[in-house]
Amino acid sequence: MNILLIVIIAVTVLISYKGFNDLSFFRKFEFHVGSILKGEQIRMISSGFLHVDMGHLFFNMVTLWFFAPLVLAYLGNWTFVLVYMGSLIFGNLLTLLFNKNNYSYRAVGASGAVTGVLYSAILLQPDMNLYLFFIPIPIPAYIFGIGYLLYSIYGMKTKRDNIGHTAHFGGAIGGILITMVF
């Protein structure tokens, strides 16, 4: 397994664990619109290494574990890091744009970065099959990709849950654009 992937996962787990046990640390580095607009841009990146709970962390890291090797194999280490970090930033920029008037909006998670890696993998190998958890029916990656983008748009419009649909959508777009460049 690639050492770079292990480092990203380990750093994310360690920072998330610190945040689980230290609320002031968590609040200092989470995505918070009011703080970002006051100049704390580090939150645009640091929030991607925090998670709200173990389930959230596990789901993001498992998804990354499955799709990162494909992106690494096609694009190499440094382009993979660019896809990962660029997607994190794309996701957070879109989230900031959509919530710029909601100074109390808060979010955490690597979902934008992970979604960017997922969409990079889909772009690199659109004919692979994906499976949803507990549903043993193969879905062509390009069909899944289209469906998930539509679901994200629906989630962005309805705002009926506590999922960062805007970060997912922005991360996906970031992953696609960066992959197309390389």
Side-chain angles (χ1 to χ4, degrees), residues 114-149:
V114 172
T115 304
V117 171
L118 169 63
Y119 274 83
S120 178
I122 290 171
L123 192 61
L124 293 167
Q125 201 167 36
D127 58 338
M128 71 176 157
N129 286 319
L130 302 179
Y131 297 84
L132 297 176
F133 283 102
F134 309 112
I135 303 174
I137 301 168
I139 303 167
Y142 68 94
I143 298 290
F144 174 87
I146 293 167
Y148 193 76
L149 283 178

XYZ file of all heavy atoms in Angstrom, residues 114-149:
287
model
N -12.480 13.321 -0.304
C -12.731 11.914 -0.633
C -13.625 11.809 -1.864
O -13.390 10.973 -2.746
C -13.325 11.165 0.579
C -13.760 9.762 0.201
C -12.308 11.117 1.715
N -14.630 12.657 -1.948
C -15.504 12.643 -3.125
C -14.709 13.020 -4.368
O -14.924 12.450 -5.441
C -16.708 13.584 -2.927
O -17.400 13.208 -1.735
C -17.668 13.509 -4.099
N -13.787 13.958 -4.239
C -12.927 14.303 -5.370
C -12.090 13.134 -5.844
O -11.934 12.905 -7.045
N -11.548 12.356 -4.904
C -10.778 11.159 -5.261
C -11.690 10.129 -5.917
O -11.324 9.509 -6.924
C -10.061 10.571 -4.021
C -9.449 9.215 -4.320
C -8.993 11.548 -3.521
N -12.890 9.950 -5.382
C -13.860 9.021 -5.976
C -14.161 9.411 -7.424
O -14.138 8.568 -8.328
C -15.143 9.004 -5.150
C -16.354 8.293 -5.764
C -16.076 6.812 -5.968
C -17.580 8.500 -4.893
N -14.422 10.681 -7.674
C -14.748 11.127 -9.034
C -13.536 11.101 -9.946
O -13.675 10.877 -11.150
C -15.435 12.497 -9.008
C -16.916 12.319 -8.804
C -17.442 12.153 -7.536
C -17.784 12.261 -9.880
C -18.787 11.938 -7.334
C -19.144 12.052 -9.699
C -19.637 11.891 -8.421
O -20.969 11.664 -8.232
N -12.361 11.300 -9.410
C -11.148 11.123 -10.201
C -11.053 9.665 -10.660
O -10.783 9.383 -11.833
C -9.921 11.504 -9.371
O -8.731 11.311 -10.095
N -11.306 8.738 -9.733
C -11.274 7.310 -10.074
C -12.335 6.975 -11.119
O -12.080 6.209 -12.059
C -11.474 6.471 -8.814
N -13.522 7.546 -10.970
C -14.590 7.301 -11.950
C -14.176 7.825 -13.319
O -14.391 7.159 -14.345
C -15.913 7.945 -11.486
C -16.475 7.184 -10.275
C -16.932 7.994 -12.621
C -17.665 7.856 -9.602
N -13.576 9.000 -13.364
C -13.132 9.571 -14.633
C -12.025 8.727 -15.262
O -11.999 8.533 -16.480
C -12.648 11.004 -14.401
C -12.405 11.862 -15.629
C -13.678 12.045 -16.442
C -11.859 13.222 -15.206
N -11.132 8.201 -14.434
C -10.017 7.395 -14.932
C -10.453 5.997 -15.376
O -9.844 5.415 -16.267
C -8.933 7.288 -13.854
C -8.225 8.600 -13.519
C -7.420 8.466 -12.236
C -7.347 9.057 -14.684
N -11.476 5.467 -14.734
C -11.940 4.119 -15.072
C -13.477 4.072 -15.015
O -14.056 3.459 -14.115
C -11.321 3.114 -14.111
C -11.308 1.712 -14.651
C -10.407 0.826 -13.806
O -10.322 0.958 -12.592
N -9.740 -0.091 -14.467
N -14.150 4.722 -15.967
C -15.609 4.839 -15.918
C -16.363 3.528 -16.083
O -17.538 3.439 -15.711
C -15.928 5.797 -17.069
C -14.757 5.700 -17.987
C -13.571 5.390 -17.124
N -15.686 2.508 -16.592
C -16.355 1.225 -16.808
C -16.289 0.287 -15.602
O -16.864 -0.802 -15.628
C -15.769 0.524 -18.032
C -14.270 0.287 -17.910
O -13.607 0.995 -17.132
O -13.761 -0.608 -18.613
N -15.627 0.696 -14.519
C -15.590 -0.168 -13.327
C -16.990 -0.218 -12.707
O -17.821 0.661 -12.929
C -14.560 0.319 -12.312
C -14.913 1.582 -11.591
S -13.663 1.982 -10.342
C -13.928 3.737 -10.187
N -17.233 -1.247 -11.938
C -18.503 -1.381 -11.233
C -18.338 -0.959 -9.781
O -17.335 -1.264 -9.149
C -19.008 -2.825 -11.273
C -19.553 -3.201 -12.627
O -20.237 -2.410 -13.263
N -19.248 -4.396 -13.083
N -19.336 -0.256 -9.277
C -19.369 0.151 -7.879
C -20.556 -0.522 -7.216
O -21.541 -0.848 -7.871
C -19.498 1.674 -7.754
C -18.405 2.498 -8.426
C -18.676 3.982 -8.234
C -17.043 2.142 -7.877
N -20.456 -0.696 -5.923
C -21.528 -1.313 -5.148
C -21.881 -0.391 -3.985
O -20.995 0.145 -3.333
C -21.090 -2.668 -4.592
C -20.784 -3.683 -5.669
C -19.530 -3.725 -6.278
C -21.747 -4.585 -6.077
C -19.249 -4.640 -7.269
C -21.476 -5.515 -7.071
C -20.229 -5.534 -7.669
O -19.961 -6.440 -8.652
N -23.150 -0.221 -3.746
C -23.581 0.505 -2.563
C -23.528 -0.456 -1.392
O -23.703 -1.669 -1.562
C -24.999 1.049 -2.748
C -25.181 2.061 -3.869
C -26.645 2.434 -4.000
C -24.348 3.305 -3.600
N -23.297 0.066 -0.191
C -23.221 -0.793 0.979
C -24.459 -1.667 1.087
O -25.586 -1.185 0.977
C -23.066 0.053 2.260
C -21.687 0.570 2.448
C -21.377 1.891 2.153
C -20.667 -0.256 2.897
C -20.088 2.372 2.325
C -19.388 0.213 3.067
C -19.103 1.533 2.777
N -24.254 -2.937 1.281
C -25.287 -3.929 1.530
C -26.209 -4.194 0.338
O -27.209 -4.878 0.475
C -26.127 -3.570 2.775
C -25.285 -3.275 3.981
C -25.215 -2.001 4.504
C -24.522 -4.278 4.565
C -24.426 -1.719 5.607
C -23.727 -4.016 5.670
C -23.681 -2.739 6.195
N -25.887 -3.638 -0.836
C -26.672 -3.924 -2.041
C -25.738 -4.579 -3.048
O -24.867 -3.922 -3.620
C -27.305 -2.638 -2.621
C -28.185 -1.961 -1.575
C -28.105 -2.957 -3.881
C -28.747 -0.622 -2.000
N -25.891 -5.884 -3.271
C -24.935 -6.613 -4.116
C -25.216 -6.504 -5.617
O -25.037 -7.449 -6.367
C -25.106 -8.056 -3.630
C -26.540 -8.130 -3.216
C -26.872 -6.769 -2.656
N -25.637 -5.342 -6.058
C -25.921 -5.134 -7.476
C -24.870 -4.169 -8.029
O -24.737 -3.050 -7.538
C -27.337 -4.548 -7.681
C -28.380 -5.505 -7.096
C -27.600 -4.273 -9.155
C -29.767 -4.902 -6.996
N -24.125 -4.600 -9.058
C -23.098 -3.710 -9.612
C -23.731 -2.516 -10.343
O -24.720 -2.661 -11.056
C -22.334 -4.606 -10.582
C -23.289 -5.688 -10.938
C -24.182 -5.882 -9.748
N -23.125 -1.358 -10.126
C -23.568 -0.135 -10.794
C -22.378 0.396 -11.579
O -21.303 0.603 -10.998
C -24.021 0.921 -9.770
C -25.131 0.385 -8.875
C -24.456 2.207 -10.472
C -25.407 1.253 -7.662
N -22.529 0.598 -12.893
C -21.410 1.181 -13.646
C -21.004 2.520 -13.011
O -21.857 3.332 -12.636
C -21.979 1.381 -15.055
C -23.116 0.399 -15.149
C -23.681 0.314 -13.753
N -19.713 2.747 -12.899
C -19.199 3.924 -12.202
C -19.758 5.224 -12.769
O -20.121 6.126 -12.018
C -17.675 3.935 -12.244
N -19.850 5.312 -14.098
C -20.335 6.560 -14.677
C -21.808 6.795 -14.341
O -22.223 7.944 -14.144
C -20.084 6.625 -16.190
C -20.896 5.641 -16.998
C -22.118 6.018 -17.550
C -20.443 4.345 -17.214
C -22.864 5.125 -18.295
C -21.180 3.445 -17.955
C -22.393 3.833 -18.485
O -23.135 2.932 -19.221
N -22.605 5.745 -14.198
C -24.012 5.879 -13.793
C -24.080 6.310 -12.327
O -24.834 7.212 -11.958
C -24.789 4.552 -13.987
C -24.804 4.143 -15.454
C -26.187 4.645 -13.399
C -25.648 5.018 -16.341
N -23.274 5.666 -11.479
C -23.206 6.056 -10.079
C -22.811 7.526 -9.960
O -23.393 8.280 -9.186
C -22.207 5.177 -9.316
C -21.990 5.643 -7.900
C -22.820 5.208 -6.890
C -20.968 6.533 -7.589
C -22.637 5.643 -5.577
C -20.776 6.975 -6.287
C -21.611 6.526 -5.279
N -21.789 7.929 -10.722
C -21.297 9.302 -10.666
C -22.370 10.314 -11.011
O -22.542 11.323 -10.319
N -23.100 10.066 -12.060
C -24.191 10.970 -12.455
C -25.265 10.984 -11.374
O -25.735 12.044 -10.966
C -24.771 10.555 -13.824
C -23.735 10.778 -14.930
C -26.065 11.316 -14.126
C -24.070 10.117 -16.248
N -25.649 9.811 -10.903
C -26.683 9.706 -9.877
C -26.302 10.410 -8.593
O -27.120 11.118 -7.985
N -25.050 10.265 -8.182
C -24.631 10.888 -6.930
C -24.563 12.407 -7.056
O -24.882 13.126 -6.109
C -23.298 10.317 -6.437
C -23.020 10.715 -5.013
C -23.690 10.098 -3.965
C -22.135 11.737 -4.711
C -23.473 10.471 -2.648
C -21.907 12.120 -3.401
C -22.588 11.483 -2.380
O -22.373 11.872 -1.084
N -24.157 12.905 -8.219
C -24.167 14.353 -8.419
C -25.594 14.894 -8.347
O -25.841 15.936 -7.735
C -23.528 14.729 -9.752
C -22.007 14.688 -9.812
C -21.516 15.041 -11.214
C -21.368 15.604 -8.788
